[in-house]
């Protein structure tokens, strides 16, 4: 009896999928004959803002041991998902918003490549990062007067670690550490975003992780390619080496995806990455973007760039440039506790809703905002960061310290962070 029910369920799914493919071909035909839909309202206006002329940034000239020499030692840093810190520095050096006169600057930027310390497997080690950042702050506060003037309130730092300036890849330990005390007045530009979390301070700018634009461009398929895969995912479901007991990694959400849908004909999911990974995403309607150790991953960028509707499974996530990109309109949000209902949720979405999400995703400005191209281009992630900084201006008068006033505790934090770097 159970076997008959399972067979019947698969037949129903296959019939639905056949219907979907036929309908999707019609939608593709309509999409090809229509233009990308512009984002209506304030979100679209913000997305297309031009930051030039609205702010000036002074870039501290730090010794190369804080940045360039790290890349020379290990060029892999240029390609991992934390590389935004490197490319943001390179962008600002030649950006028209840069000023060489610190007296006219609205913002001060300290170029520290805190994630460019990699294991043999290419994973960033966060353990030296607090000492490196602390050392850089000691340097700028002793050589220039601007840090001490505000204790960093008009400074920004790019901190693309798993949990930002908490500098640890495991959430429990990141929470225990908290944000590096010396950064608690600065604006943090970070990939990590989760509401009501100690590692996301008020006023932070959440950005997309780095995904190599040229590599993705090289794998584009013809625009008329049909989306014949309903749900797609490639990645870990379990992390046996770091979570041998199971249940902690991804708060069990990825394991639930595998256990519930590994045999579902609508779901093309595997832990193996094929060489056609990028092409497969362009052939898919929905791309799963579940949390891992942190809520975010490059899949979100890849899904948007390749026009695959992102299915976001990460409770209370704060998404990149949320004031500019209408995530509710382009994506699908599924609560972690509802993962076992994924098939019902996704097959219940009306086709006209799917089509509208695809039209919005086809908007070039949407894709551009998620990328850090070399060289920079109008509307890209670099410019969205600058837009976020410009919208914080002018600074409130209370950012400036009164004579003798001190708010930051230079001796706070774990004892290991206080050692010289």
């Amino acid at each position: 009896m159970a076997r008959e029910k399972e067979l019947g369920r698969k037949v129903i799914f296959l019939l639905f999928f056949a219907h979907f493919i036929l309908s999707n071909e019609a939608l593709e035909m309509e999409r090809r004959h229509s233009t990308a839909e512009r984002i209506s309202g304030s979100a679209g206006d913000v997305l297309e803002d031009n930051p030039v002329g609205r702010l000036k940034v002074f870039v501290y000239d730090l010794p190369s041991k804080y940045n360039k020499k790290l890349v020379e030692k290990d060029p892999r840093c240029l390609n991992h998902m934390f590389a935004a810190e490197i490319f943001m520095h390179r962008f600002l050096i030649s950006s028209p918003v840069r000023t060489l006169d610190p007296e006219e600057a609205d913002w001060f930027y300290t170029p520290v490549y805190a994630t460019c310390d990699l294991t043999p497997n290419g994973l960033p080690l966060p353990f030296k990062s607090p000492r490196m950042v602390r050392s850089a702050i000691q340097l700028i506060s002793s050589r220039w007067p601007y840090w001490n003037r505000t204790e960093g309130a008009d400074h920004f730092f790019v901190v693309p670690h798993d949990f930002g300036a908490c500098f640890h890849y495991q959430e429990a330990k990141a929470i225990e550490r908290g944000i590096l005390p010396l950064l608690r007045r600065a604006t943090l530009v970070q990939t990590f975003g989760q509401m009501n979390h100690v590692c996301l301070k008020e006023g932070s700018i959440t950005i997309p992780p780095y995904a190599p634009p040229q590599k993705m461009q090289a794998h584009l398929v013809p625009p008329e390619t049909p989306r014949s895969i309903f749900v797609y995912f490639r990645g870990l479901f379990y992390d046996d080496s770091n979570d041998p007991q199971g249940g902690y990694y991804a708060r069990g959400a990825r394991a639930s995806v595998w256990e519930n849908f590994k045999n579902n004909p609508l779901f093309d999911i595997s832990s193996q990455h094929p060489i056609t990974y990028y092409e497969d995403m362009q052939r898919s309607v929905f791309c799963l973007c579940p949390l891992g150790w942190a809520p975010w991953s490059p899949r979100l960028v890849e899904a948007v760039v390749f026009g695959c509707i992102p299915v976001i499974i990460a409770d209370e996530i704060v998404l990149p440039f949320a004031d500019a990109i209408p995530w509710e309109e382009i994506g699908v949000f599924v609560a972690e506790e509802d993962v076992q209902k994924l098939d019902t949720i996704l097959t219940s979405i009306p086709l006209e809703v799917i089509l509208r999400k695809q039209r919005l995703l086809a908007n070039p400005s949407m894709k551009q905002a998620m990328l850090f191209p070399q060289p920079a281009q109008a509307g890209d992630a670099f410019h969205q960061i600058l837009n976020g900084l410009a919208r914080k201006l002018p600074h409130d008068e209370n950012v400036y310290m009164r004579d003798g006033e001190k708010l930051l505790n230079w001796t706070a934090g774990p004892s290991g962070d206080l050692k010289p770097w």
Side-chain angles (χ1 to χ4, degrees):
M1 188 69 174
R3 188 176 175 185
E4 290 176 357
K5 285 184 178 179
E6 179 68 14
L7 182 60
R9 184 180 67 85
K10 289 187 176 181
V11 168
I12 291 172
F13 277 135
L14 290 171
L15 287 173
F16 171 85
F17 195 44
H19 166 72
F20 180 85
I21 292 297
L22 290 172
S23 301
N24 200 46
E25 287 179 356
L27 294 179
E28 283 289 327
M29 187 75 73
E30 179 184 338
R31 182 179 64 81
R32 271 178 252 142
H33 289 88
S34 64
T35 57
E37 184 167 335
R38 189 190 184 279
I39 308 159
S40 61
S42 61
D45 298 332
V46 171
L47 190 67
E48 296 171 6
D49 278 352
N50 183 353
V52 177
R54 298 168 56 214
L55 78 166
K56 292 183 179 180
V57 177
F58 179 77
V59 180
Y60 285 115
D61 185 15
L62 298 185
S64 60
K65 70 175 184 177
Y66 291 100
N67 40 63
K68 295 176 184 177
K69 279 192 176 179
L70 295 171
V71 177
E72 291 172 4
K73 179 181 176 183
D74 195 339
R76 293 178 300 168
C77 296
L78 292 167
N79 297 308
H80 67 47
M81 59 185 174
F82 304 105
E85 62 184 359
I86 299 172
F87 292 112
M88 189 67 191
H89 182 202
R90 293 183 176 183
F91 163 72
L92 283 172
I93 290 297
S94 58
S95 170
V97 306
R98 183 190 182 190
T99 177
L100 299 179
D101 180 2
E103 291 296 332
E104 66 174 19
D106 301 297
W107 288 99
F108 295 82
Y109 167 62
T110 308
V112 180
Y113 301 170
T115 67
C116 191
D117 181 18
L118 306 182
T119 67
N121 293 331
L123 300 175
L125 293 169
F127 309 116
K128 296 178 184 177
S129 302
R131 288 188 287 137
M132 183 191 303
V133 174
R134 180 184 172 84
S135 171
I137 293 173
Q138 288 174 324
L139 179 66
I140 64 173
S141 65
S142 62
R143 286 193 183 178
W144 291 273
Y146 306 104
W147 174 272
N148 298 321
R149 188 176 66 179
T150 65
E151 286 199 323
D154 53 357
H155 289 56
F156 70 93
F157 290 76
V158 181
V159 283
H161 267 293
D162 291 277
F163 290 94
C166 288
F167 295 124
H168 207 286
Y169 61 88
Q170 291 182 340
E171 184 173 19
K173 293 182 179 179
I175 291 172
E176 182 182 346
R177 289 185 52 83
I179 292 173
L180 186 69
L182 292 184
L183 292 178
R184 289 179 181 170
R185 283 176 59 81
T187 290
L188 303 180
V189 178
Q190 60 185 65
T191 45
F192 172 75
Q194 183 174 314
M195 291 182 282
N196 306 312
H197 198 287
V198 299
C199 298
L200 180 68
K201 68 187 290 289
E202 184 179 357
S204 297
I205 297 174
T206 310
I207 65 172
Y210 178 78
Q214 292 83 358
K215 183 178 177 182
M216 289 191 285
Q217 183 74 25
H219 289 266
L220 291 177
V221 302
E224 65 273 11
T225 302
R227 293 187 178 270
S228 56
I229 301 170
F230 190 59
V231 181
Y232 187 76
F233 176 77
R234 291 294 185 273
L236 288 178
F237 297 100
Y238 307 92
D239 188 345
D240 295 330
S241 58
N242 293 301
D243 182 27
Q245 303 300 318
Y248 185 69
Y249 177 62
R251 297 196 283 258
R254 292 196 186 199
S256 182
V257 169
W258 178 249
E259 296 301 331
N260 284 283
F261 304 110
K262 59 186 174 184
N263 296 319
N264 189 314
L266 291 179
F267 283 66
D268 187 344
I269 59 176
S270 172
S271 59
Q272 302 299 315
H273 268 257
I275 59 173
T276 56
Y277 173 68
Y278 284 156
E279 289 82 356
D280 291 344
M281 292 189 86
Q282 294 169 81
R283 297 186 182 101
S284 302
V285 178
F286 295 105
C287 288
L288 301 185
C289 301
L291 74 161
W293 284 112
W296 59 272
S297 81
R299 287 178 193 82
L300 193 65
V301 177
E302 295 160 351
V304 171
V305 169
F306 292 136
C308 185
I309 298 170
V311 180
I312 299 159
I313 307 170
D315 294 351
E316 297 192 314
I317 188 172
V318 176
L319 289 160
F321 309 132
D323 56 348
I325 296 177
W327 290 104
E328 294 284 350
E329 294 184 52
I330 65 173
V332 175
F333 290 78
V334 176
E336 293 167 26
E337 66 178 9
D338 292 335
V339 166
Q340 70 273 16
K341 305 174 188 175
L342 260 176
D343 52 351
T344 303
I345 292 170
L346 297 180
T347 56
S348 300
I349 299 174
L351 292 174
E352 59 269 21
V353 174
I354 292 175
L355 175 61
R356 183 168 190 274
K357 291 180 184 293
Q358 289 178 332
R359 284 202 305 264
L360 286 170
L361 285 168
N363 189 321
S365 63
M366 192 80 68
K367 304 175 189 297
Q368 191 77 329
M370 298 294 284
L371 295 173
F372 295 90
Q374 308 298 309
Q377 300 170 15
D380 61 17
F382 300 117
H383 291 84
Q384 300 307 326
I385 293 171
L386 293 182
N387 283 336
L389 293 169
R391 287 194 287 274
K392 294 178 178 294
L393 298 175
H395 294 296
D396 194 282
E397 282 298 317
N398 65 14
V399 307
Y400 298 99
M401 311 300 293
R402 294 185 293 271
D403 287 344
E405 184 181 19
K406 296 288 183 185
L407 296 177
L408 297 179
N409 183 351
W410 283 75
T411 60
S415 58
D417 292 358
L418 306 181
K419 295 178 181 179
W421 178 71

